[in-house]
Amino acid sequence: MKDLFDRYLAHTSEEPIGMEIERGEGIYLYSPDGKKWLDFISGICVMNVGHNAPEVVKAIQRQAALYLHPMVYGEAVMAPQVNYGAKIIELLNNRLRRIYFTNSGAEATEGALKIAKKYTGRGELVSCYNAYHGSTHGALSVGGNPKKKVGYGPLLPGVSHIRFNHPEDLSQITENTAAVIIETIQGTAGIILPRDNYLKKVRQRCDETGALMILDEIQTGFGRTGYMFAFQAFDFEPDILLLAKSLGGGLPLGAFVAREEIMAVIQKNPMFGHITTFGGNPVSCAAGLASLTKILDDELVAKMPAKAAILRQRLQHPAIQELRGMGLLFGLIFDSFEFAEAVRKVAFDKGLLTLGFINIDNGLRISPPLTITEEELHTACDLMLASVEEVWSGN
Ligand code: PLP
């Protein structure tokens, strides 16, 4: 199998991890030859209720037996889509009243950029250095890592970048700005939390200039940070919200959620202003709704502070320069790429799966399924500390 993977599948790096997965259950992934990994990343914030949660599997099976794809997005009434959309709007409980389902996070970014331009009649976009909003052309244009853009230009014109957590840069948002696109917590940059009411200041500057605020909660949504949506911790609301990853409960799904009048621009002049064949696939929506229902029924969000406290208490070592994050979304920061990568490999051999970040190279991700028990978290911390110590003492 690995041989065929090496021969025929496109690889995004020269050295993919390349482990073969036979099945997943709860917080564990298993290979066909009997290896087992404690999943400390949840497919990067996707498997918030763990692998193969019976509620999610059943919902997928039930919907798959009814219908898979009756119609392009937006024309037919499909119960899983409608029920899921209504539940998300209800949980948001703010001015974001219309949801558009896509297939992925990058597509949600694309849709949001389009409606922001059309609604405001403006062409300029502002985003943050070190941001990640997806890999398609528009999303890459508002990405904040110049190295990732090399060779793919020309990208979108009219995009400028500001530094996250630097209110002095907000003057770059002007009356020509259609939208500011920003993550609530910069994930790919190594889990950078907003400081000193920064996001409220962005909101304020958007209000002053008439620019829209597009908030990317693709990594941080669905309980990951100890709030259902991370922005709920920071006392403001965006004009457009981006969701994906855990939204689909493990199946492909994204969404942008906007105020009524902003979303309305795709309906006319011309009609069908943003279309997708598979966006909001009913099986994905059924899986996502089952996953969200489990997050609510098992009260996973309320259990997060105790779990976060375990990580904070346990993950201390002279080699760990910083542990930053909230809820069950953390970055473990070391002094170099070589050290972080060595820890990742040792942890992998010990049965703990973690991964680096795209926009910094000296950190590792921690984002286990929210269903992880306190005891399992201690096991994960034991494995991580043993791995750090092994690399440290071998240095
Ligand atoms: N935005 C953020 C914050 C992300 O972390 C990601 C994916 O990692 C995306 C957007 C893009 O989502 P997708 O990979 O589903 O296109």
Side-chain angles (χ1 to χ4, degrees):
M1 189 65 70
K2 173 77 164 58
D3 182 41
L4 295 177
F5 170 84
D6 286 342
R7 205 160 351 139
Y8 294 124
L9 270 83
H11 294 171
T12 55
S13 72
E14 285 179 331
E15 262 188 78
I17 301 175
M19 84 252 222
E20 188 177 341
I21 305 296
E22 186 178 60
R23 68 188 178 88
E25 193 180 329
I27 59 162
Y28 288 102
L29 289 168
Y30 298 85
S31 75
D33 54 359
K35 288 199 197 89
K36 162 180 163 182
W37 294 275
L38 194 164
D39 184 358
F40 223 17
I41 46 174
S42 313
I44 310 193
C45 304
V46 172
M47 305 309 296
N48 280 10
V49 298
H51 296 282
N52 287 13
E55 301 89 333
V56 176
V57 174
K58 266 191 216 119
I60 292 171
Q61 288 168 337
R62 205 178 312 122
Q63 182 54 40
L66 289 173
Y67 56 85
L68 298 178
H69 178 77
M71 179 55 90
V72 295
Y73 175 76
E75 291 298 312
V77 180
M78 304 182 213
Q81 222 178 51
V82 175
N83 289 333
Y84 196 20
K87 187 77 202 165
I88 290 168
I89 300 284
E90 179 199 316
L91 283 174
L92 283 170
N93 190 26
N94 59 17
R95 290 183 305 160
L96 306 178
R97 305 294 298 167
R98 288 276 168 184
I99 184 161
Y100 186 119
F101 284 110
T102 63
N103 301 279
S104 67
E107 269 182 80
T109 301
E110 299 292 340
L113 297 178
K114 277 175 67 181
I115 61 172
K117 284 181 166 178
K118 188 155 183 209
Y119 179 76
T120 58
R122 304 174 182 181
E124 294 182 9
L125 298 165
V126 172
S127 68
C128 286
Y129 289 111
N130 277 326
Y132 183 73
H133 300 292
S135 268
T136 51
H137 256 80
L140 184 63
S141 306
V142 292
N145 182 346
K147 286 191 201 148
K148 298 285 175 208
K149 302 182 185 185
V150 174
Y152 299 119
L155 296 175
L156 278 187
V159 176
S160 62
H161 288 86
I162 56 177
R163 291 168 298 168
F164 192 80
N165 274 334
H166 283 260
E168 63 273 28
D169 289 5
L170 294 178
S171 56
Q172 280 190 48
I173 303 168
T174 70
E175 276 73 17
N176 297 322
T177 308
V180 179
I181 180 166
I182 192 162
E183 293 158 273
T184 315
I185 293 171
Q186 285 201 306
T188 303
I191 317 299
I192 311 291
L193 298 180
R195 284 193 309 263
D196 304 330
N197 284 324
Y198 174 67
L199 293 173
K200 270 178 99 167
K201 291 174 188 159
V202 176
R203 171 75 271 175
Q204 211 172 351
R205 182 66 188 155
C206 285
D207 289 341
E208 283 162 16
T209 56
L212 298 184
M213 183 175 187
I214 302 173
L215 192 70
D216 183 338
E217 287 256 0
I218 287 170
Q219 252 181 70
T220 50
F222 298 97
R224 172 59 56 195
T225 62
Y227 294 81
M228 185 53 77
F229 303 102
F231 76 86
Q232 292 166 331
F234 301 107
D235 189 29
F236 74 99
E237 76 180 51
D239 299 297
I240 307 175
L241 181 70
L242 309 182
L243 301 171
K245 292 198 182 277
S246 174
L247 173 72
L251 291 188
L253 192 64
F256 53 103
V257 196
R259 300 196 331 248
E260 289 275 0
E261 64 277 22
I262 300 173
M263 195 67 92
V265 300
I266 59 174
Q267 284 174 12
K268 52 185 182 191
N269 303 324
M271 66 196 287
F272 303 130
H274 192 72
I275 51 179
T276 163
T277 301
F278 287 121
N281 177 271
V283 184
S284 298
C285 285
L289 179 55
S291 169
L292 173 59
T293 305
K294 186 169 170 58
I295 292 172
L296 293 168
D297 289 352
D298 294 359
E299 298 180 346
L300 295 178
V301 177
K303 293 174 187 157
M304 297 285 279
K307 293 181 183 178
I310 292 173
L311 285 178
R312 284 193 185 288
Q313 265 163 22
R314 293 288 320 278
L315 291 181
Q316 296 191 25
H317 187 280
I320 298 175
Q321 294 196 329
E322 208 182 329
L323 175 70
R324 56 191 187 216
M326 60 192 271
L328 283 179
L329 180 66
F330 280 91
L332 200 56
I333 309 301
F334 302 102
D335 74 344
S336 67
F337 166 73
E338 288 71 23
F339 197 96
E341 183 59 4
V343 172
R344 186 192 67 73
K345 286 184 173 159
V346 172
F348 183 80
D349 291 341
K350 290 185 189 299
L352 182 72
L353 188 63
T354 177
L355 206 61
F357 294 97
I358 295 177
N359 287 350
I360 59 160
D361 63 6
N362 60 332
L364 293 176
R365 292 172 180 279
I366 297 179
S367 53
L370 311 186
T371 47
I372 194 167
T373 64
E374 294 189 12
E375 200 185 333
E376 288 166 339
L377 260 182
H378 281 290
T379 305
C381 290
D382 289 342
L383 289 168
M384 180 54 88
L385 287 172
S387 308
V388 173
E389 179 57 30
E390 193 171 313
V391 177
W392 173 256
S393 56
N395 256 357

